[in-house]
Amino acid sequence: MNTQELGLEPLIGVEELAEYLGVPVQTIYDWRLSGRAPRAFKLGKHLRFAASDIAEWLEQRHEGGSHE
């Protein structure tokens, strides 16, 4: 059974998020330390990010958005 059959959205790791955003992996960790990264789930030693949290985080940073 896959995550969509369970009604769950996929989670991605730090490396995939960095690649998607076109930034170094270290930037994701730096953003987390400064409180500027998307919300994440910590599963053991691993961070995972939900697509909906990433989309919301990106929308908040969209030029002309209401949060800038």
Side-chain angles (χ1 to χ4, degrees):
M1 188 173 290
N2 68 33
T3 57
Q4 288 187 342
E5 289 173 351
L6 294 172
L8 301 172
E9 65 181 307
L11 300 176
I12 67 168
V14 174
E15 293 80 11
E16 293 89 357
L17 180 59
E19 182 178 335
Y20 174 72
L21 297 175
V23 299
V25 169
Q26 187 58 50
T27 299
I28 305 298
Y29 290 114
D30 292 344
W31 286 345
R32 278 190 48 85
L33 286 174
S34 66
R36 297 181 300 163
R39 291 185 333 159
F41 296 95
K42 188 159 185 170
L43 306 171
K45 294 181 179 181
H46 304 282
L47 294 174
R48 295 291 183 257
F49 300 86
S52 61
D53 289 334
I54 295 166
E56 180 181 321
W57 179 82
L58 285 171
E59 184 59 33
Q60 292 172 355
R61 278 142 189 84
H62 194 272
E63 287 187 12
S66 61
H67 298 284
E68 288 287 326

